[in-house]
Amino acid sequence: MNRIITIEEEVPNVHKMVIDAPDVAKKCKPGHFAIVIPDEQSERIPLSIADWDEDAGTVTIYFLEVGVSTMKLARKVAGDEIDMMAPLGRESEIDNYGTVVVCGGCYGVGAIYPIVKALKEAGNTVVTIIEARAKYLLYNEEVLARDSDEIYTATSDGSHGTKGKAQTVMKDLVDGGRHFDRAYIMGCTFMMMRNARMAKELGIPSKVYLNPLMVDATGMCGVCRCDVGGETKFACVDGPEFDGADVDWEQLFKRSAQYVPHQTLAYQHKKCDIDHCGGV
Amino acid sequence: MEDIYKYAGKRLTPDEMKAAIASSRHAMTEQDAIVRSRNFEEVNLGYSIETAQEEAKRCLLCPVPGCVQGCPVRIKIPEFLSAIVEGDFLEALRIVKEDNALPAVTGRVCPQEIQCEGKCTHVKAKRESVGIGHLERFVADLERYSSEKLPVETAEPTGRKVAIVGAGPSGLTVAADLARSGHEVHVYEALQKPGGVLIYGIPEFRLPKELVFYEVDNLKQMGVQFHYNHVIGRIFTVDEMLDERGFDAVYLGVGAGLPRFMNIEGESLNGIFSANEYLTRNNLMKGYEFPTYDTPIYRGRNVAVIGGGNVAMDSVRTAKRLGAENAYLVYRRSRVEMPARDEEIHHAEEEGVEFHNLTNPIRYLGDENGWVRAMECIQMELGEPDDSGRRRPVPIEGSEFTLDVDAVVVSVGTSANPLLTKSTPGLELNRWNNIIVDDKGRTSKKGVFSGGDIVRGAATVILAMGDGRVAAAGIEEYLETGEWPDKVE
Amino acid sequence: MTARIDGKDYDIIEGETILDIARRNDIYIPTLCNHPDLSAFGGCRLCLVKVEGFRAFVPACATPVQDDMVIETTEEDLDDLRRRILQLILSEHPSACIICADREECLDLHPDPTKAGRVTGCRFCPNRNECDLFDVVKALGVDDIWVETEYKDVPLYRRDPFIHRDYNLCILCGRCVRVCAEIRGVSAIAFTERSHDATIGTAFQGPLVDSSCVFCGACEDVCPTGSISSKMTRWVSIPEVTGKSTCVMCPAGCAMDVGFKWGRMTITEPSEEGENVAQACLKGRYCTVPLTNSKDRLEYPRVTTDGVLRPVKWETALETAVEGLKGFAPEEIGMIVSPSLTVEEAFLAQRIMRGLGSDNIAIASNMAGPMQKAWGGAMDRVAGIGTMTDIRDCDAVLIVGTDLSLTAAVTQVHVHAAWKDGASVFNVKIDPRKGYRHADVIEPDAYGPFMDILLEEVKAPGQQPHTPDRDAAGRIASALKDADKTAILVGPGAFRDAAEGTQVAKLALELFEAVNGTVLLPLWDGGNVQGVLEAGASRCLTPGQCIEQDSGKYSSGRNPLGEGIKALYLTHPVPEIPEGVEFVVYQGPFGSQVSERADVILPSSMFSETEGTVISLDGRVGSITSDARLPNMAKPDWKVFIDMGRALGLDGFDFEAVADITEAVGLPLEPGTHLPPGEPLPEGDRAVRVDDAVNPVGPWPCSATRYRGREIAEDVEDFLEVAASWGWDE
């Protein structure tokens, strides 16, 4: 069991949690994720590791409240204990490629930090693009700016930065004459799909971080299997980093919808369960 | 020391022998088939004390007991049966536990019909064997329910530290033996609960999980420390355990958890699960208690399970209990060749599972949302025997047919999961990624032992436990002598 | 009279607004704060139109139309203004998704809303398929927001029972405030704070459960965004299968739309059509689904073997039940009929008992017996007079023995409509519960004596010395007599004691006649008491409510919980199994401590899973349909009765479908119609036609907080909180 050091809501619905995990912090690498189990009845959910501190022995994760498990996590307070199994997944492929663009959306805005940092340390010129629906949903900008050579923002409603999405900025930059050797994209599946397609169109090899359903995350059950380049891969042990151009996105969406009825009913059931009784 | 031999060498009187020969096996009380096919409560309800003693009296106390030869860990069967007859139940349990650390488990899941019971003298005379498995379960359960517990002695602490990777049957057996000898034992488990296949693979209606937790508690009382959510190879490696964390030896009991798919068309459709996923959701994560437990499990109405082993039986009976109107078992060979336990096949038939033997799926058909809706199959016939000695199934041309299904569980076997072995340099593997060990459980890496499914490929709980005993003895020897062979085969 | 709109002439009706005419003639004018059933508010200003001769644009919703008015609903400046107004509204709502070009593709790939803690866009919004805001955005073609957007970041109100409030989505249209005040008569919420901080809230921003909110969900229905939503259905989105059914949680019999998804019942909402005027109450709207899907449902037939109730097959259970019942003489067998059974099911139940030769049938209802005794002798049938809708036209309303918070709660909507038209409302009740806020509440010491006094004051006012009760009675009496139309509603609170209940019922009828009343309705303590009575499932009654006094066909009917009864067939829990009872068959959807003592348990259905007909407290026939899958081996009650009848070897159980049974009942059961009202008999023909044995003395486990004997709170925890905060102590 690992203790929660801090937890706070960064922007509406995005929570940041710092967990005490000294052994894990020593082994974390960019691209790794953790399985978190909020309580005895909870599911095992995969969450990207956004940062770690070897000296303090802590690990940081960002998550959106989008279901029962994240709801339970969001309700935790500092001092509570959760089960955490980490670090999992293959390390990201990091090398000096030249100029790289890193795109983050939703939880990705927080979780791309280790990748940005590693790419910078490897000698790349790092251009970071973060997107959100509106200005009030952007976060982590200063932290990312420290390790990026350039940082751009995109909002769907135009309230900050470019009006549009990360791929809009990517295209604008390329159209304006920039050249990128690689793209790293992390966010919700829809966002990654759009950006991977744009990267392909612009001729940039891309890496995405797939987040299909997972149960054990050690390669034992196969629920996370997805088609990449015509082959079946397990996202938990072969990924989660894959080549964006090779992913069968349609299948990924369909497979992610396998348990929507259950997840929805569970969320409702638990909301009535946990939320009731006096006080706002 | 006399106690050990208290029940050895006993013989029956002529009258007792006559009665034993004339007796017939006492049936196990079971839940009604139709009713139990809808709930997850245990199917077998256990012997009462009277029935157990009557059944134990049937043992002929053979001078050369075939049953002991049939048992992979050589439990002193006639002795413990004699103890039951005398009402000395705690002693009976002690005798069993000399060789078998988890009798409550093995009494339920061992394929006794090909092990102890298969070699019973009664069987040679075409009678039913003594219910050895049921009696093993009886003594274990009795102790668990009673307030009088079997005392456990651990020797003085030796100051040696041993790490066990995997809290499955073999790991727990090694832990029991080493803890008893006074060593400091740490068990590292990747999942959040102990038991391995006992907790994620075998369903509640065959093996209630409280048994496993009871045994683990016993181990904790003996001083064994459990660390959950630790994936060795990721959080730290075997080398780090030996070099930096002060472990004198490491035992690898990580099992064979890699699921095998058939790689036929449509296998990635929604509703097609590996048996590992299906059973893990149901057993470890208690999917059948959804939504009290959060992990969902898909409750298909027409469920097909591909395979013929115990895992396939577990899957298809689970499907029925989750409310399937039709639960099909699709196996490419015939009924008699099914590797599953007789009792499981029998129970499955009673519960209304529809068996489609000599049938193999060719591909899966889906709907526009990516859900499986039908399975195209082909009939098989048995041809020439293959390497395993069993006749090879051959498709019959033109015999294709379609089965309407909305869920499929693929249970065609598992192989070694490379997660640990890949991160442990110096560990010699065979071509199926199984670890190579010698007859003392030693691997090619000094200080590292192994046993169970990671060595044998997918096998049984009792064999894994047997390997555990062998390895524990090997570890004891190594801790004393520090010797390691140059080559291991 | 005519007005010209956009160049065309239209007839106008006196008192209409411009918006009314436009709506009538399918002319589009965008609105958000307006709702056809509510008063005009003029808050959103989207409906601005140009009227010739007027200085500025005027809101169409609040401007009465006049003869020869010339109106333009569209024009460049006007359209531009509307768009800017809409953008201002959007600026404080998470609108990024509403105006996003990828919205359609994104929502297609996520067919159900992604459940989220805070809604930050359409993808996470439970209201995305019915969003009035989005409809207006689309109609006006807005794809940009020229002002700075802001997320209000107010705390989510998630801890109230049943209702989830996210005021970060609120556009301050005020519909919720108006429906609560104008239609329900509760006024639990209002506009609070001021200026930029203005928000909807309760008094002192407390939780709803501490306010006067009755959790009827009317606010949820009218909210144009996802700001107010039901915690239980927020994320279920569009049902796969929908149907029309009737609610049986109380005898108001509201018409409901039911939805099924993923193989289970997911939502019950009031229908647009129906005498409940698209309103429901917390039980019908929020409690039906959790009860139906409860994990405590009885799933297997069980038979007691060796003192333990073991699950068995249906055949075994029925055999055991038959064998058990046949071991007793007909006069030793009793049956308790649940008031939640449908007409067809009750009909079959009484057919079983009469087939066995017994008339020891009682309805599990505190009101049924006393009412049968009081009205059964004085009217041709035990049935109310007038309908709930008739209440709206009354000038005086008297409610005795309940407070309408949970008992036939929808009746309050009609009472409130009457009050708004100037009616006086009196509520005679003894319990200290919420009550209708505009009622004149009288709390006598006892109901019976008070009704006596009231009748006296009506017939001979002012003759007796003053007492507080008499003064109050005097007030009521004069109001009732002055009124053109009067409504008298009698509820379960007055029936805790059977004798007092009989007295109250008798006096209510006399009072009704004395004031020439229009509406006299029993607010039964069970969802289908009226229907069960019509089906004849009570001692001395036969289908059609014919009273058969000792016709010799049946044994002399006894109290099923009284002396001499040795075997019981229960379809509803009883307070306790009487001493001499040796054999118990229990049929129902839920267990109870009484079912633990049963010899045979037959798992059956909730009303939401069966098929048939029910009759409301005002004689309205409603039909029940369902697409639900019963849990495990449970069967609908009607099927269980058919199986029992056949197993007992009785005639008349050759039914294949419910429609056949409906036909056999022989009553005019056309859904949507009303049965004839009760007809008071001439004085001389009145007699006590049924004696005390007709219904054993309660109190039965029947109250507004129970369904078929089961405390709703056992399966709907939030209900317990609500009931506790209202002081329900049953």
Side-chain angles (χ1 to χ4, degrees):
Chain A
M1 298 291 271
N2 300 79
R3 202 167 39 91
I4 299 173
I5 310 282
T6 62
I7 172 169
E8 50 190 305
E9 193 172 4
E10 287 271 307
V11 288
N13 224 30
V14 179
H15 302 261
K16 174 178 172 185
M17 186 184 272
V18 178
I19 305 166
D20 174 54
D23 287 327
V24 175
K26 288 199 197 109
K27 289 298 178 74
C28 281
K29 294 274 185 296
H32 278 166
F33 68 96
I35 284 283
V36 173
I37 315 173
D39 66 25
E40 160 74 23
Q41 288 84 22
S42 291
E43 290 188 87
R44 297 164 60 87
I45 57 167
L47 296 170
S48 298
I49 298 179
D51 200 0
W52 54 90
D53 187 336
E54 263 191 60
D55 300 316
T58 61
V59 156
T60 305
I61 53 174
Y62 287 92
F63 62 94
L64 268 70
E65 184 188 328
V66 283
V68 182
S69 308
T70 41
M71 174 188 69
K72 287 182 171 179
L73 270 186
R75 299 253 204 289
K76 297 275 177 194
V77 295
D80 283 345
E81 294 203 323
I82 53 174
D83 277 298
M84 185 175 82
M85 182 174 96
L88 302 167
R90 238 182 237 269
E91 268 186 63
S92 285
E93 248 175 60
I94 307 280
D95 204 350
N96 189 345
Y97 302 105
T99 310
V100 295
V101 60
V102 185
C103 305
C106 288
Y107 69 89
V109 174
I112 49 168
Y113 175 64
I115 297 169
V116 164
K117 191 160 146 210
L119 286 167
K120 187 88 188 98
E121 277 169 10
N124 293 285
T125 305
V126 178
V127 174
T128 305
I129 308 174
I130 52 175
E131 66 162 53
R133 285 184 178 77
K135 179 169 138 200
Y136 51 78
L137 291 169
L138 285 169
Y139 63 100
N140 219 26
E141 214 180 317
E142 300 95 60
V143 170
L144 289 169
R146 287 203 299 258
D147 283 276
S148 316
D149 291 285
E150 291 160 50
I151 179 159
Y152 298 92
T153 60
T155 48
S156 309
D157 67 355
S159 48
H160 192 271
T162 310
K163 180 170 186 223
K165 306 277 166 48
Q167 68 260 24
T168 324
V169 177
M170 203 196 307
K171 185 166 190 334
D172 286 346
L173 290 171
V174 169
D175 283 349
R178 297 294 297 271
H179 170 79
F180 295 113
D181 297 291
R182 261 216 183 178
Y184 290 79
I185 305 156
M186 190 189 289
C188 73
T189 314
F190 186 63
M191 176 257 178
M192 289 194 293
M193 175 181 81
R194 289 305 214 70
N195 281 277
R197 285 192 178 149
M198 177 60 72
K200 188 166 174 187
E201 230 182 80
L202 300 172
I204 311 171
S206 64
K207 290 286 186 193
V208 293
Y209 299 85
L210 300 187
N211 48 14
L213 297 171
M214 289 190 189
V215 178
D216 71 294
T218 55
M220 191 183 80
C221 73
V223 69
C224 62
R225 61 188 190 275
C226 36
D227 253 327
V228 182
E231 283 175 34
T232 305
K233 299 272 185 193
F234 287 2
C236 61
V237 289
D238 301 318
E241 190 187 71
F242 289 108
D243 285 325
D246 297 335
V247 175
D248 182 344
W249 296 102
E250 220 183 277
Q251 189 204 69
L252 196 57
F253 273 107
K254 289 207 172 118
R255 283 188 65 76
S256 296
Q258 277 189 82
Y259 295 100
V260 161
H262 302 83
Q263 292 165 341
T264 307
L265 292 171
Y267 192 51
Q268 241 154 244
H269 175 92
K270 286 297 148 91
K271 285 197 69 90
C272 299
D273 226 6
I274 297 180
D275 262 355
H276 93 278
C277 89
V280 156
Chain B
M1 283 294 129
E2 295 153 45
D3 285 341
I4 295 176
Y5 301 97
K6 189 156 103 183
Y7 293 102
K10 288 196 75 166
R11 294 284 173 267
L12 294 177
T13 66
D15 278 337
E16 284 170 343
M17 179 71 75
K18 229 166 105 184
I21 291 173
S23 68
S24 42
R25 178 166 159 143
H26 295 79
M28 167 64 79
T29 333
E30 297 169 351
Q31 272 195 67
D32 171 85
I34 299 300
V35 170
R36 71 174 190 245
S37 70
R38 307 296 188 104
N39 68 44
F40 280 88
E41 289 162 36
E42 215 186 335
V43 174
N44 287 346
L45 300 169
Y47 278 158
S48 63
I49 293 183
E50 297 79 33
T51 314
Q53 291 187 295
E54 290 302 308
E55 183 65 20
K57 282 193 190 140
R58 292 185 65 233
C59 175
L60 301 172
L61 295 179
C62 308
V64 183
C67 52
V68 178
Q69 291 307 307
C71 173
V73 295
R74 307 280 186 268
I75 297 175
K76 303 174 196 63
I77 297 171
E79 274 95 325
F80 100 81
L81 294 182
S82 300
I84 295 177
V85 170
E86 298 302 318
D88 203 350
F89 303 118
L90 220 51
E91 176 65 13
L93 180 65
R94 195 196 59 78
I95 296 171
V96 172
K97 277 202 155 179
E98 278 188 357
D99 299 289
N100 174 0
L102 308 171
V105 174
T106 54
R108 288 166 161 85
V109 307
C110 263
Q112 291 95 0
E113 69 267 18
I114 55 170
Q115 291 174 174
C116 50
E117 291 178 18
K119 294 281 199 298
C120 178
T121 303
H122 280 285
V123 168
K124 289 200 201 111
K126 303 252 192 303
R127 292 187 295 261
E128 283 195 277
S129 74
V130 175
I132 302 171
H134 295 327
L135 289 166
E136 186 185 27
R137 169 214 164 115
F138 165 77
V139 292
D141 285 352
L142 198 64
E143 191 252 10
R144 205 170 85 249
Y145 292 138
S146 84
S147 46
E148 206 190 325
K149 303 285 180 197
L150 193 65
V152 170
E153 296 118 16
T154 50
E156 287 297 309
T158 61
R160 312 305 286 258
K161 242 167 90 164
V162 180
I164 297 176
V165 183
S170 77
L172 293 176
T173 306
V174 177
D177 279 354
L178 294 178
R180 215 177 291 148
S181 303
H183 302 301
E184 188 184 322
V185 179
H186 291 257
V187 178
Y188 292 92
E189 167 60 46
L191 297 175
Q192 77 270 29
K193 290 188 186 159
V197 76
L198 302 176
I199 195 98
Y200 76 75
I202 306 183
E204 182 78 16
F205 58 84
R206 267 219 292 149
L207 183 67
K209 303 303 155 226
E210 55 167 350
L211 298 178
V212 179
F213 299 139
Y214 179 77
E215 294 300 339
V216 169
D217 274 335
N218 279 345
L219 287 172
K220 283 191 188 151
Q221 276 171 36
M222 284 164 68
V224 175
Q225 292 176 53
F226 284 86
H227 309 268
Y228 303 120
N229 304 313
H230 279 65
V231 185
I232 304 303
R234 306 294 317 203
I235 193 165
F236 33 86
T237 61
V238 171
D239 280 323
E240 281 167 353
M241 285 165 117
L242 292 167
D243 301 333
E244 294 166 24
R245 291 182 172 257
F247 286 105
D248 298 302
V250 177
Y251 176 77
L252 305 178
V254 297
L258 201 70
R260 228 180 264 157
F261 284 98
M262 293 176 69
N263 293 315
I264 56 179
E265 192 188 319
E267 215 164 27
S268 279
L269 285 170
N270 285 353
I272 301 183
F273 315 103
S274 68
N276 275 355
E277 184 195 339
Y278 198 65
L279 293 174
T280 302
R281 280 182 186 274
N282 196 60
N283 304 328
L284 172 67
M285 309 304 292
K286 290 201 161 8
Y288 64 93
E289 299 258 34
F290 179 87
T292 310
Y293 280 77
D294 300 343
T295 306
I297 186 161
Y298 184 65
R299 294 174 181 247
R301 291 209 189 182
N302 300 308
V303 183
V305 173
I306 321 291
N310 284 317
V311 177
M313 286 304 124
D314 286 340
S315 303
V316 77
R317 292 169 73 196
T318 298
K320 201 98 183 105
R321 281 157 172 77
L322 290 174
E325 277 164 32
N326 295 309
Y328 307 116
L329 195 291
V330 174
Y331 181 53
R332 59 188 183 142
R333 287 196 169 93
S334 71
R335 173 87 164 71
V336 297
E337 287 152 308
M338 289 176 76
R341 267 181 107 223
D342 274 349
E343 194 181 33
E344 309 312 327
I345 303 177
H346 176 61
H347 280 165
E349 281 173 333
E350 285 179 334
E351 287 160 16
V353 169
E354 212 178 290
F355 283 74
H356 287 260
N357 287 89
L358 294 168
T359 311
N360 216 23
I362 315 174
R363 63 196 179 103
Y364 303 103
L365 307 164
D367 65 13
E368 66 277 357
N369 291 322
W371 275 95
V372 66
R373 60 167 175 79
M375 185 167 84
E376 212 181 278
C377 306
I378 194 164
Q379 308 274 33
M380 313 290 275
E381 61 186 350
L382 295 175
E384 292 303 310
D386 66 10
D387 316 327
S388 71
R390 291 186 293 168
R391 293 177 66 189
R392 188 198 305 269
V394 170
I396 302 174
E397 289 250 354
S399 68
E400 289 90 339
F401 68 98
T402 318
L403 206 56
D404 278 338
V405 290
D406 62 349
V408 177
V409 181
V410 181
S411 175
V412 295
T414 53
S415 50
N417 189 328
L419 196 63
L420 174 69
T421 48
K422 262 190 331 197
S423 70
T424 314
L427 207 57
E428 220 176 288
L429 311 172
N430 67 11
R431 63 186 163 113
W432 297 293
N433 285 330
N434 294 122
I435 301 179
I436 300 178
V437 296
D438 67 7
D439 58 357
K440 294 198 174 164
R442 296 180 291 206
T443 66
S444 58
K445 195 175 168 71
K446 184 162 187 231
V448 178
F449 293 75
S450 187
D453 286 1
I454 188 72
V455 168
R456 299 168 169 273
T460 62
V461 163
I462 189 68
L463 289 172
M465 292 173 63
D467 289 350
R469 302 225 65 214
V470 164
I475 294 176
E476 302 261 22
E477 194 190 310
Y478 170 67
L479 289 177
E480 195 127 348
T481 66
E483 281 171 15
W484 203 262
D486 292 323
K487 190 138 172 59
V488 151
E489 42 222 44
Chain C
M1 297 195 284
T2 59
R4 174 162 298 184
I5 307 181
D6 294 335
K8 266 181 80 177
D9 283 329
Y10 296 94
D11 286 322
I12 60 176
I13 301 171
E14 182 86 49
E16 271 191 326
T17 61
I18 299 175
L19 185 61
D20 289 333
I21 308 187
R23 277 218 176 105
R24 249 193 319 116
N25 294 289
D26 284 328
I27 301 170
Y28 180 69
I29 301 180
T31 62
L32 271 177
C33 71
N34 185 273
H35 191 281
D37 298 334
L38 305 173
S39 65
F41 187 51
C44 69
R45 311 313 271 188
L46 281 174
C47 65
L48 294 177
V49 289
K50 181 170 157 156
V51 178
E52 206 177 81
F54 279 50
R55 200 165 29 96
F57 296 132
V58 291
C61 65
T63 309
V65 72
Q66 288 157 14
D67 197 14
D68 292 333
M69 236 184 187
V70 178
I71 303 157
E72 303 288 335
T73 67
T74 170
E75 195 208 55
E76 210 185 308
D77 282 349
L78 179 60
D79 293 341
D80 193 50
L81 180 60
R82 285 204 190 121
R83 272 192 283 272
R84 284 170 178 267
I85 294 171
L86 185 57
Q87 288 177 14
L88 280 172
I89 296 175
L90 291 175
S91 71
E92 282 201 342
H93 181 95
S95 328
C97 292
I98 294 183
I99 53 168
C100 176
D102 296 330
R103 184 180 191 268
E104 204 174 314
E105 192 192 345
C106 180
L107 295 191
D108 267 341
L109 280 166
H110 305 99
D112 291 303
T114 307
K115 46 222 176 323
R118 284 187 183 273
V119 173
T120 51
C122 294
R123 197 179 121 202
F124 300 111
C125 184
N127 204 49
R128 60 191 221 175
N129 300 306
E130 315 172 298
C131 182
D132 289 1
L133 189 56
F134 176 70
D135 288 342
V136 175
V137 166
K138 212 158 136 209
L140 297 188
V142 168
D143 59 6
D144 195 9
I145 304 177
W146 61 276
V147 277
E148 177 137 340
T149 54
E150 183 193 334
Y151 181 76
K152 287 194 258 209
D153 212 9
V154 295
L156 304 178
Y157 288 86
R158 305 210 265 196
R159 289 177 180 261
D160 268 312
F162 305 117
I163 296 178
H164 178 293
R165 293 180 288 155
D166 181 357
Y167 288 130
N168 297 292
L169 304 177
C170 178
I171 56 169
L172 296 174
C173 68
R175 285 190 195 174
C176 53
V177 173
R178 282 176 282 145
V179 77
C180 193
E182 294 170 20
I183 304 286
R184 300 302 297 217
V186 171
S187 296
I189 47 179
F191 281 95
T192 61
E193 311 292 339
R194 302 163 77 179
S195 184
H196 180 261
D197 298 332
T199 181
I200 309 290
T202 58
F204 311 110
Q205 306 294 15
L208 287 175
V209 80
D210 288 343
S211 72
S212 55
C213 177
V214 293
F215 298 94
C216 68
C219 53
E220 182 203 330
D221 277 343
V222 297
C223 180
T225 65
S227 183
I228 303 181
S229 51
S230 148
K231 285 161 81 166
M232 293 180 188
T233 56
R234 247 165 98 68
W235 302 111
V236 178
S237 196
I238 307 175
E240 283 163 6
V241 177
T242 53
K244 299 231 174 259
S245 188
T246 311
C247 182
V248 188
M249 294 294 272
C250 90
C254 297
M256 305 292 272
D257 287 336
V258 294
F260 301 87
K261 192 166 185 179
W262 305 320
R264 50 198 284 156
M265 190 178 210
T266 49
I267 189 169
T268 52
E269 284 184 311
S271 295
E272 283 294 321
E273 319 81 40
E275 276 188 48
N276 49 311
V277 290
Q279 295 296 320
C281 76
L282 102 90
K283 290 194 295 189
R285 189 190 282 264
Y286 297 129
C287 300
T288 309
V289 169
L291 274 175
T292 308
N293 296 328
S294 165
K295 287 194 70 192
D296 284 345
R297 291 287 302 274
L298 292 178
E299 298 185 323
Y300 310 104
R302 284 180 192 259
V303 164
T304 305
T305 338
D306 299 329
V308 178
L309 277 165
R310 297 194 191 280
V312 294
K313 298 197 274 270
W314 270 101
E315 292 82 45
T316 319
L318 289 169
E319 263 165 40
T320 316
V322 165
E323 224 181 277
L325 290 173
K326 287 219 150 136
F328 299 94
E331 60 267 18
E332 293 171 328
I333 309 177
M335 172 185 269
I336 303 292
V337 175
S338 174
S340 310
L341 294 175
T342 62
V343 171
E344 291 84 357
E345 286 160 358
F347 173 77
L348 290 174
Q350 61 88 29
R351 193 170 257 198
I352 288 179
M353 286 302 277
R354 269 100 193 221
L356 286 173
S358 166
D359 195 30
N360 308 336
I361 314 175
I363 308 178
S365 155
N366 288 312
M367 285 180 71
M371 291 289 285
Q372 278 184 271
K373 193 164 174 206
W375 290 12
M379 296 168 82
D380 70 332
R381 267 168 55 248
V382 180
I385 300 173
T387 68
M388 288 197 319
T389 317
D390 290 339
I391 299 177
R392 299 173 93 93
D393 298 326
C394 291
D395 311 289
V397 180
L398 170 65
I399 308 160
V400 180
T402 185
D403 70 336
L404 298 183
S405 58
L406 280 180
T407 311
V410 145
T411 326
Q412 188 175 300
V413 174
H414 299 295
V415 170
H416 185 62
W419 178 84
K420 278 199 297 188
D421 275 339
S424 341
V425 180
F426 301 95
N427 193 352
V428 176
K429 65 184 179 76
I430 293 180
D431 50 76
R433 294 197 208 114
K434 276 187 177 302
Y436 175 56
R437 66 187 302 170
H438 300 293
D440 186 346
V441 177
I442 294 100
E443 291 182 29
D445 291 321
Y447 288 105
F450 183 81
M451 290 298 284
D452 250 328
I453 296 175
L454 179 54
L455 194 56
E456 273 174 23
E457 289 302 310
V458 166
K459 290 190 169 159
Q463 306 277 329
Q464 301 289 337
H466 287 272
T467 62
D469 275 359
R470 193 161 288 274
D471 286 342
R475 258 196 341 267
I476 304 176
S478 52
L480 293 182
K481 284 194 299 189
D482 286 341
D484 268 336
K485 296 187 172 179
T486 319
I488 300 177
L489 311 175
V490 185
F495 290 82
R496 301 270 170 78
D497 173 72
E500 182 176 33
T502 314
Q503 183 191 12
V504 168
K506 176 166 169 290
L507 291 169
L509 178 58
E510 288 178 26
L511 186 62
F512 174 82
E513 292 177 303
V515 301
N516 254 323
T518 316
V519 176
L520 172 66
L521 291 175
L523 302 179
W524 298 111
D525 55 351
N528 192 30
V529 175
Q530 191 66 38
V532 169
L533 286 170
E534 303 289 349
S538 182
R539 181 182 168 269
C540 293
L541 295 184
T542 54
Q545 279 214 52
C546 311
I547 296 194
E548 300 254 340
Q549 265 303 42
D550 223 72
S551 66
K553 271 208 296 193
Y554 316 123
S555 67
S556 48
R558 290 182 194 166
N559 176 353
L561 294 184
E563 289 211 4
I565 300 291
K566 300 218 178 112
L568 272 180
Y569 190 153
L570 300 176
T571 57
H572 193 100
V574 295
E576 55 179 22
I577 307 275
E579 274 290 324
V581 172
E582 295 164 18
F583 187 77
V584 177
V585 176
Y586 182 90
Q587 176 176 330
F590 290 102
S592 62
Q593 97 245 55
V594 150
S595 67
E596 293 301 308
R597 261 222 49 194
D599 294 282
V600 179
I601 290 189
L602 307 173
S604 72
S605 55
M606 277 207 37
F607 74 85
S608 42
E609 297 162 322
T610 187
E611 228 188 290
T613 317
V614 292
I615 300 177
S616 72
L617 57 91
D618 57 351
R620 186 175 6 102
V621 180
S623 81
I624 298 184
T625 58
S626 177
D627 205 55
R629 257 169 100 183
L630 275 109
N632 239 319
M633 294 168 89
K635 287 190 184 176
D637 280 292
W638 62 273
K639 282 199 179 153
V640 181
F641 284 130
I642 291 179
D643 287 343
M644 269 300 273
R646 289 185 185 158
L648 284 165
L650 302 173
D651 279 329
F653 285 86
D654 263 329
F655 302 109
E656 293 305 322
V658 173
D660 301 330
I661 314 175
T662 321
E663 218 185 291
V665 175
L667 290 172
L669 296 176
E670 182 66 43
T673 61
H674 282 258
L675 288 181
E679 226 9 276
L681 297 172
E683 275 295 330
D685 289 350
R686 295 189 189 192
V688 174
R689 294 155 78 192
V690 289
D691 60 36
D692 278 321
V694 72
N695 232 43
V697 172
W700 289 89
C702 308
S703 81
T705 58
R706 289 178 186 262
Y707 169 75
R708 200 151 171 179
R710 170 105 171 163
E711 273 291 353
I712 297 172
E714 285 191 69
D715 301 278
V716 191
E717 270 184 47
D718 284 8
F719 185 84
L720 177 63
E721 230 201 295
V722 171
S725 77
W726 293 0
W728 276 84
D729 56 6
E730 311 176 70

